[in-house]
């Protein structure tokens, strides 16, 4: 009896000693680690790393920058069913324990001691919050002790709901998704509130192995984990048996959504990214900024498609280059069967593809080859005599002869080979190709070598409506819309003509279109400029010379003005003076400018004569919706608005009142000069090189074509009062586009295609004839007043003070003079 009593006392003493020892150890651990524990109140002020997002003006996502996708959600906005699922699988005693799970830790310790391996961590959600926000993922005892102590400290400082909200927004759930809302968007393209039970359970099961067991990387393993979560919910009576069975049988509906752009505008996205980084440094990628641009999503889509269609049209017209690679095609081996030989001898081996053996390599090609705008990747599976079958991401598709017959071999930029007779002249099974979906079916295509750019501005305030800097941004980040300086050719002439009209010339001024020779010691050769046609047209009115794009007239206009006078007049339009040649080549558009700069200048013509500044960043908000940056645009005001605003500013200044800068843009061309040049540019479309724009059926369009020497650059810049758009086509390394490539048939069709969509629903805006402009009848040959009864007289606009005072001689007399003298070449030097 005494021995039993002694044994009991010994056991009690050992137990008490063990507890006391453990307590001392825990106290020592606490004393050691406590000074290093962070202040848990900082958790409430933690700024979750959220990416930079760029949007169109109408709120459609363009792009996202940053390594972590996150969409923070509040606890009260989280569905209770998801919370039940998460706690059932991760920490079912979460609302009962004080931050640590003693049983779980003991179980984990026992497993470690008995097996030498760590199977379960025994971590509570609070401990995971401590690790995710403060600690590394290293597996050491010191890190685990710190985690436990920090969890206890967090539980004393925050409510259970606050801790769980931190967990919901921090946990990594695969595919760069951090937090449950981001995961719902990535896997299902929906908010967590919109998911069904099976989908919520799928996400609730991800924390254990987010990369290896998510429904995209490993659907089978993900389903097992999802069903475990559902089973735990059923065991805890959180769902009914019928709900459990239905959700457990549900198919996997997850697929990658991520932050897929709602609108393709990679060049705009890069401009926005650069702006954010310049303003906020590396924080731009993690602070959750939202940039809203001036881009109109519908116009951007139209610009993308118009430029690609135009470049593909040019590419097709210049022949097939056969640049694709060839993937292996595995054929079925057919055993010899004499009874079937008559049939087998007639079967084509191209129909005997061993698809299970062939498809893995083809599907790998599709994974590595993203679509390129309207171009989609494909692999040729079968070639017929007058058609072909291609394997695409959507399965097999048929390409008819109509979609193939264009692919005549390219010989050089001006020559293509003979018409095709059969499809196998260009295609073989296994060849990787591109195709374009058209209204009449699938058309074979290839990535074009030629490049282009399109810039479309709101001329009233400079907001960029659409911008495309090249055909395929994935292959080249070079933004041709703003970074490429090219000669605009005749598209520059309206600026020179405007300077002429502002300096006393009229639309009826006669300039001789005759040969001219330049002898300049600075030139290697004598310069003998010509018109594109190679012809000379003699005395020509300015209006005619512009819409016919006569080079010799432009040269003589600039010679009369002087290059410096022209530069002083043109540079306020938004074209840098340091880019403008200070010689007569300026008249032919030999000064290299970017498409953006040319569009900026044309916006002055579109808005009535006001210099606007293009912008793409409208505003920038932080993650809480506070506006950190707001662009203030200077707008084109009419004369009355501008004068009233200026009077108001002057009065306030005289009274010593501080004022904001005027929001009215500066006028750089007077309204009468503007009206005259605008009507002349309308004639470019009505009767000149821009006639293709008549297809739009509008009366408020004006513009100018441009083609440089040897057809290295093709342009069209045009506008109505609501939209100014410039298109450029050329090669990155300047080379000829071909002898038949001009602005009128290469760039203008792209402009028309875009404007057809961009101006849909936009009412025509009539141009107002300003005071001081009169219309009188003139003789079209001399520009003088037409005598009464002249049958071929035309109307022309003049400033009231510039109306001709002389009458033209009778037409017969003029004809006689021409018969006697003809056109005499003029030597300027």
């Amino acid at each position: 009896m005494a021995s039993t009593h002694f044994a009991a006392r010994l056991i009690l003493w050992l137990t008490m000693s063990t507890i006391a020892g453990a307590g001392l150890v825990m106290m020592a651990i606490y004393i050691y680690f406590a000074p290093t524990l962070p202040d848990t109140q900082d958790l409430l002020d933690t700024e979750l790393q959220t990416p930079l997002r760029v949007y169109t003006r109408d709120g459609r996502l363009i792009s996202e920058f940053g390594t972590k996708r996150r969409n923070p959600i509040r606890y009260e906005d989280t569905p209770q069913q998801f919370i039940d699922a998460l706690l059932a699988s991760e920490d079912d005693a979460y609302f009962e324990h004080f931050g640590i799970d003693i049983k779980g830790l003991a179980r984990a310790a026992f497993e470690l001691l008995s097996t030498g391996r760590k199977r379960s961590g025994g971590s509570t959600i609070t401990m995971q919050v401590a690790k995710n926000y403060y600690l590394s993922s290293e597996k050491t005892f010191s890190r685990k002790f710190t985690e436990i102590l920090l969890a206890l400290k967090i539980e004393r400082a925050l409510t259970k709901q606050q801790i769980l909200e931190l967990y919901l927004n921090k946990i990594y759930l695969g595919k760069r998704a951090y937090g449950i809302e981001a995961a719902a968007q990535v896997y299902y393209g929906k908010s967590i509130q919109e998911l069904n039970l099976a989908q919520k359970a799928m996400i609730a099961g991800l924390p254990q192995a987010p990369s290896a067991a998510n429904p995209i990387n490993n659907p089978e393993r993900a389903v097992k984990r999802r069903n475990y979560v559902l089973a735990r919910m059923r065991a805890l009576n959180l769902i009914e048996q019928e709900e459990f069975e239905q959700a457990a049988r549900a198919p996997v509906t997850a697929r990658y959504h991520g932050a897929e752009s709602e609108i393709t505008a990679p060049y705009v996205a890069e401009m926005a990214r650069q702006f954010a980084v310049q303003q906020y440094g590396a924080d731009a990628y993690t602070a959750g900024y939202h940039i809203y641009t001036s881009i109109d999503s519908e116009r951007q889509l139209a610009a993308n498609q118009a430029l690609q269609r135009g470049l593909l049209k040019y590419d097709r017209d210049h022949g097939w280059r056969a640049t694709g690679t060839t993937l292996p095609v595995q054929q079925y081996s057919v055993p010899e069967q004499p009874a079937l030989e008559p049939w087998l001898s007639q079967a084509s081996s191209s129909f005997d593809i061993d698809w299970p053996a062939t498809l893995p390599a083809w599907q790998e090609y599709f994974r590595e080859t993203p679509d390129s705008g309207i171009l989609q990747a494909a692999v040729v599976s079968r070639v017929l005599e007058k058609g072909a079958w291609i394997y695409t991401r959507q399965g097999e598709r048929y390409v008819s002869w109509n979609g193939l017959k264009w692919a005549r071999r390219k010989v050089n930029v001006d020559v293509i080979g003979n018409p095709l007779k059969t499809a196998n002249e260009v295609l073989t099974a296994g060849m990787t190709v591109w195709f374009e979906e058209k209204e009449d079916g699938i058309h074979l295509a290839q990535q074009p070598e030629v490049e282009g750019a399109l810039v479309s501005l709101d001329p009233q305030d400079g907001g960029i409506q659409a911008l495309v800097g090249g055909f395929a941004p994935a292959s080249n980040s070079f933004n041709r819309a703003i970074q490429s300086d090219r000669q605009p050719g005749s598209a520059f002439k309206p600026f020179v003509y405007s300077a002429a009209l502002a300096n006393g010339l009229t639309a009826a001024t006669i300039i001789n279109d005759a040969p001219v020779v330049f002898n300049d010691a600075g030139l290697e050769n004598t310069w003998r400029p010509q018109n594109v046609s190679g012809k000379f047209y003699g005395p020509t009115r300015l209006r005619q010379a512009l819409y016919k794009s006569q080079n010799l007239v432009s040269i003589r206009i600039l010679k009369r003005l002087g290059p410096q006078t022209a530069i002083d007049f043109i540079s306020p339009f938004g074209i840098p003076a340091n880019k403008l040649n200070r010689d007569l080549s300026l008249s032919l558009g030999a000064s290299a400018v970017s498409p953006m700069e040319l569009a900026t200048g044309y916006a002055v013509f579109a808005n009535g004569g006001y210099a606007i500044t293009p912008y793409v960043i409208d505003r920038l908000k932080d993650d809480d919706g506070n506006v950190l940056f707001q662009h203030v645009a200077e707008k084109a005001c009419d004369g009355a608005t501008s004068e009233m605003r200026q009077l108001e500013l002057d009065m306030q200044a005289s009274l010593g009142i501080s004022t904001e800068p005027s929001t009215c843009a500066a006028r750089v061309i007077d309204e009468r000069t503007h009206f005259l040049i605008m009507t002349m540019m309308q004639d470019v479309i009505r009767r000149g090189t821009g006639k293709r724009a008549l297809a739009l059926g509008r009366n408020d369009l004006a513009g100018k074509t441009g083609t440089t020497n040897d057809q290295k650059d093709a342009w069209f810049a045009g506008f109505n009062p609501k939209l100014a758009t410039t298109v450029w086509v050329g090669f990155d390394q300047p080379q000829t586009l071909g002898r038949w490539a001009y602005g009128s048939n290469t760039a203008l069709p792209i402009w028309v295609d875009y404007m057809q969509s961009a101006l849909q629903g936009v009412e025509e805006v009539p141009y107002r004839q300003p005071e001081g402009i009169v219309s009188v009848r003139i003789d079209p040959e001399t520009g003088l007043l037409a005598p009464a009864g002249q049958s071929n007289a035309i109307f022309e606009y003049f400033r009231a003070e510039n109306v001709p005072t002389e009458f033209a001689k009778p037409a017969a007399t003029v004809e006689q003079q021409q018969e006697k003298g003809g056109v005499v070449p003029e030597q300027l030097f």
Side-chain angles (χ1 to χ4, degrees), residues 787-805:
Q790 182 172 336
S791 60
N792 67 337
I794 62 173
F795 281 95
E796 183 56 273
Y797 291 109
F798 294 89
R799 289 188 178 86
E801 65 272 21
N802 290 342
V803 173
T805 56

Side-chain angles (χ1 to χ4, degrees), residues 195-213:
L195 302 187
N196 59 37
L197 174 59
Q199 293 167 335
K200 290 171 186 170
M202 181 72 79
I203 291 179
L206 289 174
Q208 186 185 70
S211 297

Side-chain angles (χ1 to χ4, degrees), residues 705-757:
T705 55
T707 310
T708 60
N709 284 346
D710 298 324
Q711 289 79 38
K712 291 179 180 178
D713 298 276
W715 297 78
F716 187 80
F719 58 88
N720 85 334
K722 297 295 184 181
L723 200 63
T725 302
T726 293
V727 173
W728 166 81
V729 176
F731 290 98
D732 283 339
Q733 297 301 319
Q735 57 183 288
T736 182
L737 290 163
R739 70 177 66 163
W740 308 116
Y742 299 99
S744 59
N745 61 14
T746 304
L748 176 54
I750 297 172
W751 187 90
V752 171
D753 187 1
Y754 166 72
M755 295 293 271
Q756 180 77 56
S757 174

Side-chain angles (χ1 to χ4, degrees), residues 137-283:
S137 297
E138 61 177 344
K139 296 182 179 181
T140 63
F141 286 110
S142 63
R143 200 274 298 162
K144 195 66 175 181
F145 284 131
T146 304
E147 180 182 312
I148 292 171
L149 296 176
L150 190 52
L152 295 171
K153 190 174 182 180
I154 290 172
E155 286 276 347
R156 292 196 304 271
L158 306 179
T159 67
K160 286 287 188 179
Q161 289 78 8
Q162 288 175 317
I163 297 169
L164 190 54
E165 181 177 308
L166 291 170
Y167 179 82
L168 295 174
N169 289 315
K170 183 75 172 182
I171 190 70
Y172 178 61
L173 298 171
K175 295 298 178 185
R176 292 175 52 208
Y178 288 78
I180 63 168
E181 181 66 12
Q185 295 290 349
V186 165
Y187 294 111
Y188 299 106
K190 300 177 182 179
S191 169
I192 190 72
Q193 298 162 332
E194 301 175 89
L195 302 187
N196 59 37
L197 174 59
Q199 293 167 335
K200 290 171 186 170
M202 181 72 79
I203 291 179
L206 289 174
Q208 186 185 70
S211 297
N214 68 64
I216 294 175
N217 289 356
N218 195 330
E220 184 178 351
R221 184 175 172 185
V223 167
K224 291 180 179 178
R225 180 63 182 171
R226 177 199 70 183
N227 291 350
Y228 165 78
V229 174
L230 291 169
R232 288 287 301 144
M233 294 179 74
R234 179 71 191 102
L236 296 171
N237 290 318
L238 297 172
I239 56 175
E240 300 296 329
Q241 182 65 25
E242 183 179 351
E243 291 179 291
F244 166 75
E245 292 177 358
Q246 183 177 0
R249 289 195 301 267
V252 175
T253 58
R255 63 181 180 84
Y256 182 75
H257 292 78
E260 292 181 355
S261 300
E262 296 178 84
I263 194 73
T264 301
Y267 296 100
V268 174
E270 177 60 16
M271 294 167 71
R273 184 198 68 81
Q274 291 180 13
F275 170 83
V277 171
Q278 288 170 0
Q279 295 291 319
Y280 304 104
D283 288 346

Side-chain angles (χ1 to χ4, degrees), residues 342-352:
W343 179 85
L344 291 174
S345 63
Q346 298 177 25
S348 169
S349 62
S350 64
F351 286 85
D352 299 328

Side-chain angles (χ1 to χ4, degrees), residues 18 78 170 172-173 270 350 394 462 515 672 691 758 820:
T18 301
T78 306
K170 183 75 172 182
Y172 178 61
L173 298 171
E270 177 60 16
S350 64
Q394 295 77 38
R672 294 194 297 170
K691 282 184 179 179
K820 290 180 180 179

